[in-house]
Amino acid sequence: MNKAAITEPAGFGRTIGIVALAGSALLAGCASDSALMGSGTDVTASYKAGMTRSGFLTDYARLQPTPWGQGIECWRAANLNAASYDKVLVSRIVVSLAPPTDASKEQTVDPSDLKTLTDYFHSALVKALKPQMQVVDQPGPGVVVMRIALTNLVPTTVSDSVAGTLIPYAFIAEAGSGVATGRPAGSTPYMGETGMEMQFRDGVSGAVLGECRDTQIGRKYAASTNDGAAGAAQTWASGYLSSFQAWSYAKDAFDKWALLVAKRFAELRGVDPK
């Protein structure tokens, strides 16, 4: 095959540089270093076309992109006084599976996987919020009740990810995929998707204080070159390794949402997010 005949996608030279950078880091023995690998929160991206309308929220028309949420759409009540809430109740997370986009393919999820995923997300939220707010298990005065629905869970098709890695030159097409099809850069058709809809209610009256939604899709070839060499290698390695596990991107998304929500709570309440 004539390598010169292959058309390289825009930015491919920089992508190759990141590959080499990540490879060098791993060969240097960094693969076992959890500080380098990070939590994976940089390797998923908001996917607007995949956002859902499950009926869990009260009014989807009023949701708008936020300057803080990296793609998350939200609404909050005009009279919200966030400082009056110093406790949070993270309700049991429910799941609403969207019908498959391809009618010829049945979309099922193992119940044990669902429990693992909802438990993981609940724990991630509690861990992120606990340093700034008391986490309680009953509603009441000063309590904001978080209600969460996972609305679209699509696992990564691991067999396709492995095949794409092994086929000669498939890397070139994969690394440049995403943007042309409306997906985030670095994603591929078989990357996992995770959607959520989130509602915040007053712990006494039950009044809706705010609502949010988002869908995150995994990016196998994500690299944050603005973070310098170590940051780029970390982002690349985290995303690449997640692409070979069915639900890794879902957990990456949960980590990301938990951190963003905790940070936003702190900003609204005027406290140190710690």
Side-chain angles (χ1 to χ4, degrees):
M1 185 174 183
N2 184 3
K3 296 182 183 179
I6 298 174
T7 301
E8 296 179 354
F12 179 67
R14 185 168 68 171
T15 301
I16 290 296
I18 298 300
V19 178
L21 180 64
S24 298
L26 296 175
L27 290 175
C30 296
S32 61
D33 186 345
S34 60
L36 174 64
M37 297 308 295
S39 67
T41 56
D42 293 327
V43 297
T44 65
S46 188
Y47 182 32
K48 185 174 179 60
M51 291 189 184
T52 57
R53 298 173 64 97
S54 72
F56 185 77
L57 304 181
T58 59
D59 188 350
Y60 293 86
R62 64 188 178 186
L63 301 177
Q64 297 294 327
T66 63
W68 56 269
Q70 301 180 28
I72 295 176
E73 295 184 351
C74 291
W75 163 86
R76 77 171 187 267
N79 62 349
L80 172 64
N81 178 15
S84 64
Y85 297 95
D86 60 354
K87 295 178 282 293
V88 61
L89 166 61
V90 183
S91 299
R92 183 183 179 192
I93 297 170
V94 299
V95 179
S96 173
L97 293 178
T101 54
D102 185 344
S104 66
K105 295 182 180 180
E106 183 180 10
Q107 182 173 313
T108 60
V109 181
D110 189 306
S112 62
D113 286 349
L114 289 182
K115 185 179 188 311
T116 298
L117 291 169
T118 55
D119 286 351
Y120 184 97
F121 193 13
H122 190 280
S123 296
L125 286 164
V126 169
K127 181 180 178 181
L129 290 164
K130 204 168 186 178
Q132 60 163 302
M133 303 177 74
Q134 182 183 355
V135 179
V136 298
D137 57 11
Q138 294 292 330
V143 177
V144 58
V145 179
M146 293 180 60
R147 300 178 63 243
I148 304 159
L150 295 180
T151 55
N152 189 21
L153 284 171
V154 181
T156 295
T157 308
V158 177
S159 59
D160 288 349
S161 187
V162 172
T165 302
L166 297 178
I167 297 172
Y169 307 113
F171 165 82
I172 295 174
E174 285 196 324
S177 69
V179 176
T181 59
R183 298 187 309 273
S187 65
T188 68
Y190 51 77
M191 292 292 95
E193 294 179 31
T194 307
M196 69 85 180
E197 296 179 9
M198 187 176 294
Q199 187 179 76
F200 306 88
R201 289 181 176 264
D202 180 85
V204 175
S205 69
V208 178
L209 306 173
E211 295 184 322
C212 297
R213 71 171 178 173
D214 189 25
T215 290
Q216 294 278 316
I217 188 170
R219 295 192 296 163
K220 182 176 181 178
Y221 298 109
S224 180
T225 55
N226 294 329
D227 293 336
Q234 173 182 322
T235 304
W236 180 277
S238 296
Y240 195 74
L241 294 182
S242 287
S243 71
F244 298 106
Q245 300 176 58
W247 294 113
S248 280
Y249 283 122
K251 292 181 178 180
D252 293 339
F254 298 158
D255 288 337
K256 185 175 189 175
W257 286 326
L259 293 173
L260 285 171
V261 167
K263 182 179 178 182
R264 185 57 176 165
F265 260 95
E267 291 172 350
L268 291 174
R269 295 176 58 240
V271 301
D272 183 355
K274 301 178 182 179

